[in-house]
Amino acid sequence: MKKQSLAFVLAGGGSRGALQVGALRALLEAGYKPDMLVGTSVGAVNGTFLAWHGCNLSAMDELEQTWREVEKYNPLPANFLWLTVRSLFNRPVEHTTYRLKDFLLAQGLSPHWRFRDIQGVQLFLVSADLNSGRMVIFGDDPDQSVSEGVLASTALPPWAPPIEKHGNMLIDGGVVSNCPIQVAIDRGASEIIALDLTDPRGNDPQAHGFGPFLGKLVNTIEQRQLELELSLASAVGIRVYYLQLIGNSPVPLWDFHHTAELMSKGYEITRNNIAQWQAEKEPSWYGRIASGIRNIFIHS
């Protein structure tokens, strides 16, 4: 019998990654512990943090605290991904160029740390190679550097430069799959919980100009990618618990002033969905018997 493997798939979304933090707490509190973490962009940062510190509530306390610290730094659109990664690992912010590699080294994530060193969970980080037009996965090779994987998965121009190495030009994995469900399927996941951060509400149908056009273009590509990957999961019989994590109102990728609100909302959305999942797993007769037992006690 094939071993059951639960994967958490963590999408990209900049500051909206705080929604994932709340969702992850709810999942861990309910007893959902992943065998596999797959992330792209800010999802790669959150996934790496858990793989590094452990998939437990103690690690969630640290992750939440580092996200709260982001608000103190007043991130700017010119460097939001760089600032997110630095803040998540508790390094004071300096107004310098993108130097994530030095930051990770200072925080203990040595460039010598390899994927084989991760204990208790598999970690896969998604990037894209502009030279070949293909997806690049860090984690398949246990000898690969984890810090290089994080750098490549969060390299989103103009905020962070592409990484050119061995003939590749690596950038943010959201270019090829912002919610990389297929990566988890291809690596043996038998059940997937996908935490998507896509929020189409910020795309005003009446808005014109290059900015709105670019936003609509990106959203169209992301939605098509998601449809294809969910269809693939259905075709191969893999159950995907898909959560679209969105706040009460649209939040730009670079706006980190809503962290507490987003963490709370992500927690609420996920708690509600977990209750629904658990209800769906109960046989139909269970609810009737449980209801009858309650009525006996109420009227006795």
Side-chain angles (χ1 to χ4, degrees), residues 144-163:
Q144 284 180 308
S145 165
V146 176
S147 60
E148 287 185 6
V150 175
L151 281 165
S153 191
T154 59
L156 180 61
W159 298 279
I163 297 174

Side-chain angles (χ1 to χ4, degrees), residues 69-288:
E69 292 295 318
V70 174
E71 292 190 68
K72 299 178 181 179
Y73 305 135
N74 189 26
L76 300 176
N79 65 351
F80 76 91
L81 277 179
W82 166 76
L83 183 57
T84 303
V85 179
R86 292 178 66 90
S87 299
L88 283 175
F89 291 90
N90 292 324
R91 176 163 178 162
V93 174
E94 300 172 358
H95 295 289
T96 59
T97 57
Y98 182 83
R99 298 173 63 183
L100 178 58
K101 188 172 184 178
D102 291 341
F103 152 70
L104 291 172
L105 180 63
Q107 294 303 312
L109 183 57
S110 167
H112 302 295
W113 189 46
R114 302 296 188 242
F115 282 87
R116 64 169 177 265
D117 299 321
I118 297 172
Q119 302 296 317
V121 66
Q122 291 180 289
L123 176 66
F124 299 100
L125 308 179
V126 180
S127 182
D129 176 22
L130 290 185
N131 287 340
S132 68
R134 301 180 67 86
M135 181 184 293
V136 175
I137 311 299
F138 286 81
D140 284 333
D141 180 353
D143 291 325
Q144 284 180 308
S145 165
V146 176
S147 60
E148 287 185 6
V150 175
L151 281 165
S153 191
T154 59
L156 180 61
W159 298 279
I163 297 174
E164 299 189 51
K165 189 173 183 180
H166 302 311
N168 297 326
M169 182 179 288
L170 302 177
I171 67 169
D172 190 294
V175 172
V176 287
S177 180
N178 196 53
C179 191
I181 292 169
Q182 182 178 350
V183 175
I185 294 172
D186 291 345
R187 280 146 191 81
S190 56
E191 198 168 45
I192 296 169
I193 297 176
L195 304 181
D196 192 10
L197 301 175
T198 303
D199 189 350
R201 295 174 302 170
N203 296 314
D204 183 357
Q206 305 303 319
H208 299 283
F210 180 74
F213 167 78
L214 184 60
K216 294 173 185 179
L217 176 63
V218 170
N219 179 67
T220 299
I221 294 171
E222 289 177 348
Q223 291 299 325
R224 182 56 177 160
Q225 290 171 342
L226 178 63
E227 290 172 5
L228 291 172
E229 298 198 37
L230 287 172
S231 294
L232 173 63
S234 177
V236 298
I238 303 295
R239 176 69 183 269
V240 177
Y241 296 91
Y242 171 77
L243 295 181
Q244 185 177 27
L245 302 174
I246 58 176
N248 293 323
S249 59
V251 175
L253 299 177
W254 53 84
D255 185 357
F256 288 85
H257 293 91
H258 306 274
T259 295
E261 172 192 335
L262 293 179
M263 286 195 296
S264 177
K265 188 62 177 179
Y267 182 83
E268 175 191 341
I269 291 171
T270 307
R271 286 269 297 182
N272 290 339
N273 276 270
I274 289 172
Q276 182 179 340
W277 301 341
Q278 293 174 342
E280 290 174 354
K281 287 184 177 181
E282 294 175 353
S284 60
W285 50 263
Y286 178 85
R288 293 196 297 270

